[in-house]
Amino acid sequence: MAVTEPVAPAVVKPTTTNDPQSIADQIKAKYPDAVESLSAQGIVIRRDRLPDVARFLRDSPALSFDYLNNLTSVDYPDRFEVVYHLSSISRGGAPIALKVNVNRENPTVSSLVPVYRGADFQEREVYDMMGIRFAGHPNLRRILMWEGFEGYPLRKNYHEPYYEEEHKPFGTRWDQGHHVIAEDRNPWHDNVQYPPDLDATTYKPPRDEIRTAGIENVSVTKLRTDKIVLNIGPQHPSTHGVLRLKTTIDGETIVAVEPVLGYLHRNHEKIGERNTFLQNMPYTDRLDYFTSMANNHAYAIAVEKLMGVKVPERAEYIRVIMVELTRVIAHMSLLGFLYNDLGAFYTPLLYGLEERELVLDLFESVAGSRMMCNYMRFGGVARDLPEGWLDRCQYLVDERLPRVLDEMGNYLIGNEVFRARTKNVGILPRDLAINYSTAGPVLRGSGVKYDVRRAEPYSIYDRFDFDIPVGTNGDVYDRFMMRFWETQQSLRILKQALKQIPAGEIMTGKKNYQVRVPKGEAYGRGENPKGELGFYLVSDGSPNPYRYHVRAPSFINLGTLNEMAVGHKIADLIVILGSYDVVMGEVDR
Amino acid sequence: MAELTKPEPIVLVNSEEEWLEEQVRRSVWVTSWDKVIDLVDKLYNWGRRNSVWPMGFGLACCAIEMICTSASRFDISRFGMELFRASPRQADLMIVAGTVTKKMVPSIVRLYNQMAEPKYVLAMGACATAGGPFKEGYNVVSGVDKFLPVDVYVPGCPPTPQALLYGLMQLQAKIDHQSIRDVRWYKSGEADGIPEPVLGPDIFDPRRAEEINDLTAHPEKLQARALKIQTKLEHKAEKLAEEKKEAASKPAAAAPKPPEPPKT
Ligand code: SF4
């Protein structure tokens, strides 16, 4: 197979900034009637003009908004609003927000899948959760809930079976002991509710949801293989959790793969909108449960953007140290997990997990919990480092982790079987990687030098000296190597941070159990080990977020699975899936 | 075992019958049927408790701690449980490690039905026990015990590996107390599997279908089953109203009384 050369990024002089005013002017110059209104929160586009504007923004060389960061929707009392965050890979900078107003009676927008293929899963999610239809979407079906589920859960007027009140803290759980368990509150004594017309004795679920490994287009003529639909998962040792892959195969060759998601859909966003801002912090731990510290950081960034607080120096350093340690252990475990998928059962993984335990001990001593750290607060961190912590960390960073990483590299990278099975497998070309909105090592493995830490430097990442490694082929091997190289870079950052960390405060202001967040909206993001983790928050000035949306990198990355896997053998599918490093907690939320 | 007859000194016998009796006494081990079963139980349970093979089946975050438990530091193989089987047919123990969602629960029930007896279920973590932090979610089942019989619950979010190991030790204790006399898998008759829940407009258990039909047809019956809970605000408003009433009734009660004429 021809080795695809890395496409050199087109040298575009930054003629434009991501300033909404100038962008709106340029849109107006092209389509005078397209812009409805403009504010610091975003540019509101007329509904019927959306695909034109998106295409213009993507293709105009001066703008080149070629990357769709995030797509979501907000339910306002009088309308729905679909929000698109766009940015430019070559230029970097904060994303701009495009908005489209949709009426409540017949919510329809035209689909952006022809322009940004990364919109595919996200539009399906919006359809599933809000009931907004996307005209022209190739496969508009529910994605997280099952087909046949009643209601659109993220609409404000949808009440779940255990509904108590609009916002926490619930008045029903008050201090004089009036709390009643949720089961007693619900007439079914369970987390269910049924429409009055349900006939449970004869109910048949829609056909698609029954798991049938059926044969498609059976034509028994001569000896030739027919296409077979094979279900992998949701319980399968190599799907990394409860993921189901509906795979159509011809013999051993994959013809099509469709990930079926939602088996771990835990209603993160609905619960998040009932919670107060601070109550969401522990929930972010459970998004990507391998990297709780990094999730905390991204969420803190988003809320701090709204609040406008400044984080003290020491807290910034502590945050960076925690996040980079997380990156090291997440990537080191992946090196082992990928080998697991290749059939080297558990041995390489044990090397990664051994180091992980050492870092988890560090986390436990600062945060109190090994995995679910819940450590960061708005404007700082929860606790200062205990005595001797920095020395222990220093030892790991200077001596132990680099040594083990080198050792793993020596054993794993040169392995002949490994190379044979990963090189030129699951290739994702550069332009597709961008168009599909992939992020993190998947994007960079395809040769795109884009890292949020550099594109929109947050926290104190602009102070450190580190490189952004990129792959050349965009195959499984490159994505594996990305993890290896990124771990080296993280160790570099850690060394500098440990040297520079100052003494001082760890929190701005005093500790509060409830923060005041001014009215407004913000899209805050951080570079997680899996990619760009973004939080889109809308605040109406109350202690609870009005809208809380998580841009989950694993979820959007998975959209490319079909692209990568078609034409390969079934055994390669497992390896390709492993190279994403998906964590279902984040995919399904 | 303790009841074995002691060897006795050789005695001379007078008749053939006596001789026969003597032979029987010497070479046949006489004990009660119960004792034999106890012995078998002990052996049988000893074997089972030290080779519980869990099913390799992680649902959510807790699964990561389960993996850590099986890794080198905590080393689950000390208990003979390190063989995580990918197939339910080969597994003895289902560790439900993570949030059970409505979309997933039909598969979990099916997996449970596919496991061969003797089988056990361990609910690991707050989610599998009762719904955990996500309990109020519309897609979350409030604990796997709504559908499966659970043997051991391990609290925590996530439980530490030590806690999981303790839970497994509790399971071993439970196995130790079982006897082949009354375990369900040696009872006669066919054991039916648990019917798979159906994903309709919301999930329902087919065993409750009649009840559901009855209640959806009669909303007043349904309403009667829910507990009415006052919220703090309602409570406050009620109190205020009461106070107002009292305040209003006081002067009214006082009014009919004519003021006592001052005594002079
Ligand atoms: S109990 Fe906690 S750690 Fe375990 S699955 Fe539930 S949320 Fe995750």
Side-chain angles (χ1 to χ4, degrees), chain A residues 266 286 372, chain B residues 60-62 98-99 125-127 133-134 156-158:
Chain A
R266 300 192 278 195
R286 287 155 182 82
M372 304 302 175
Chain B
C61 353
C62 280
T99 316
C127 284
F134 298 96
C157 181

